[in-house]
Amino acid sequence: MKMKIRVGIVGCGSIAKFRHAPEYHENPNVEIEGFYDHNVERAEALAKIYGGKVYSDYLDLIQDKTIDAISDCSTNETHHIVTSAALKNNKSVLCEKPMTTTVENANMILETKKNSKGILMIDHNQRLTSAHIRAKAILKSGELGKVITFTTTFGHKGPEYWGADKSKNTWFFNKNRSVLGVTGDLGIHKVDLLRFLLEDEIVEVSAMAGSLNKRNANNDLIDVPDNMVCLLRTEKGNIGTAAFSWSYYGDEDNSTKIYCEKGTMMIYDNPDYQIVINKMGKEKICYELEQIQSNDNQTSTGVIDEFIDAIISNREPVVTGEDGIMALKIVEAAMLAAETNQTIKIDLR
């Protein structure tokens, strides 16, 4: 019989409500011990459903010796504070993305991790979908030859339709809290996915970004980007594009296309088949797998199961702190590229 991992959740907004808490509840090796949120009513609502204690201070939760692991579902600007504190108390941590809002703060987390008995996982859930796992295996097999170019997109109608505060007052629109806007919310998923699929590093980025549509409560355009388009170059010399948007007012687009020497691979681009391979226009292979999780389609991400199994097995998770910081370096470079109208090289060290 496997051990029970006792978990506490810091931050009880939509990501905790719809993903972390229910997925912990479904895992037979987990006991949810407690919740903290600055809005105590949110913490109380989850405790009523899943049991556990409501804490009035996140440090009390983190320092509770009965708790083994923490989900850091706080807002972007506090991840480095909450996650570092949890690691200092030898808790294993599942930190929401982006890992932090700056590479400097991410390095602080990694330094803390060196002296911690806990593991650290970053919630880049796209690595865990069956279509992305299958796509990586196909690319690695050489069936399609070498990758030449690629394009990836992630866009939906915006966080005001998803977050706990479903209004123009959402913290995602606040530069002091969100910092990276759509780039840190959606873009960071896709650059991490590219690293995973291609087994390659992104070394150079150019970008254009802007606040094109979203307005705050004062009806002013928000001061973080709601749209970004990037041009990326990899260490192996491939080039590709990535687009992120909070203003796709139709179906969510979470697709990736890989163009190779012997054909093309379309991932989450077809409503019926999650992978479609077209070999030089002669042979089409369609894979019917699971639909990708979206704001309107809340299915299991697999992240919680991976995190808990990594703790029990005492191994590194599929998304490490080092993966988190590399994704952050890319989006930080993309923000700088857009601001300066320059191509930015990415430090891989």
Side-chain angles (χ1 to χ4, degrees):
M1 181 177 178
K2 290 185 178 180
M3 62 187 288
K4 289 276 189 179
I5 304 299
R6 295 158 297 183
V7 173
I9 297 177
V10 177
C12 298
S14 290
I15 199 70
K17 179 179 178 180
F18 294 115
R19 298 188 183 175
H20 288 246
E23 290 187 34
Y24 280 128
H25 181 70
E26 291 297 318
N27 189 301
N29 300 308
V30 171
E31 292 286 348
I32 302 178
E33 295 290 334
F35 299 92
Y36 167 80
D37 194 279
H38 66 90
N39 181 336
V40 68
E41 292 179 357
R42 292 179 190 165
E44 288 172 345
L46 290 182
K48 187 175 181 179
I49 298 170
Y50 300 107
K53 178 181 175 181
V54 173
Y55 291 76
S56 59
D57 189 317
Y58 79 92
L59 285 175
D60 290 339
L61 187 157
I62 285 171
Q63 292 168 0
D64 189 331
K65 293 183 179 178
T66 68
I67 290 177
D68 304 304
I70 299 292
S71 261
D72 182 358
C73 299
S74 65
T75 50
N76 294 356
E77 84 284 8
T78 60
H79 285 172
H80 68 291
I81 298 170
V82 173
T83 291
S84 293
L87 288 169
K88 283 178 182 176
N89 281 273
N90 294 313
K91 311 298 186 190
S92 291
V93 183
L94 174 58
C95 179
E96 262 304 322
K97 56 77 202 169
M99 181 177 177
T100 65
T101 56
T102 68
V103 171
E104 180 182 4
N105 285 340
N107 278 321
M108 186 180 89
I109 291 176
L110 292 187
E111 281 300 311
T112 306
K113 169 66 175 63
K114 289 179 181 178
N115 297 312
S116 177
K117 295 178 182 177
I119 71 164
L120 173 63
M121 179 173 172
I122 311 302
D123 191 0
H124 289 297
N125 57 28
Q126 297 213 3
R127 291 183 178 219
L128 293 166
T129 76
S130 60
H132 289 146
I133 292 169
R134 179 71 64 88
K136 178 173 180 171
I138 293 168
L139 290 171
K140 196 167 184 176
S141 74
E143 177 183 340
L144 295 176
K146 292 182 180 178
V147 173
I148 301 170
T149 185
F150 53 86
T151 183
T152 192
T153 301
F154 196 177
H156 57 51
K157 57 190 175 183
E160 73 272 36
Y161 294 91
W162 151 253
D165 184 4
K166 293 179 174 60
S167 75
K168 293 181 179 181
N169 288 318
T170 175
W171 67 266
F172 285 94
F173 291 172
N174 183 328
K175 188 172 185 177
N176 291 328
R177 302 183 71 190
S178 168
V179 182
L180 301 167
V182 71
T183 318
D185 182 35
L186 305 184
I188 202 157
H189 273 305
K190 304 308 281 193
V191 297
D192 179 72
L193 177 65
L194 288 172
R195 293 185 64 242
F196 173 74
L197 288 177
L198 303 178
E199 295 190 325
D200 197 0
E201 295 293 349
I202 295 167
V203 296
E204 209 170 72
V205 57
S206 303
M208 297 182 74
S211 177
L212 307 183
N213 179 260
K214 295 299 182 185
R215 294 182 179 271
N216 59 28
N218 296 322
N219 207 36
D220 298 320
L221 287 170
I222 63 175
D223 53 7
V224 292
D226 60 17
N227 279 269
M228 174 178 275
V229 178
C230 301
L231 177 64
L232 307 168
R233 185 185 300 277
T234 75
E235 194 169 31
K236 294 177 183 176
N238 307 123
I239 58 172
T241 60
F244 327 121
S245 178
W246 278 340
S247 59
Y248 286 7
Y249 296 116
D251 292 336
E252 183 170 312
D253 187 348
N254 204 338
S255 61
T256 300
K257 302 173 185 178
I258 312 291
Y259 301 91
C260 305
E261 293 174 315
K262 299 177 183 178
T264 61
M265 177 189 293
M266 311 298 185
I267 312 166
Y268 293 120
D269 185 57
N270 184 298
D272 299 316
Y273 301 102
Q274 286 66 56
I275 300 176
V276 176
I277 292 175
N278 192 321
K279 292 188 175 181
M280 299 290 283
K282 297 177 181 178
E283 179 185 4
K284 185 171 285 188
I285 306 169
C286 300
Y287 293 84
E288 187 174 359
L289 304 162
E290 97 291 357
Q291 293 289 337
I292 195 168
Q293 186 185 67
S294 69
N295 292 348
D296 298 323
N297 178 39
Q298 293 296 328
T299 57
S300 176
T301 62
V303 168
I304 298 302
D305 291 346
E306 166 63 16
F307 178 53
I308 295 302
D309 187 71
I311 296 171
I312 292 172
S313 303
N314 192 29
R315 62 170 175 81
E316 284 286 277
V318 71
V319 193
T320 64
E322 287 74 16
D323 290 318
I325 200 170
M326 282 308 305
L328 187 61
K329 284 183 178 183
I330 298 164
V331 298
E332 191 173 78
M335 292 286 284
L336 180 60
E339 290 167 5
T340 61
N341 196 30
Q342 294 180 342
T343 297
I344 304 299
K345 294 185 183 298
I346 297 164
D347 183 3
L348 299 182
R349 293 172 296 174

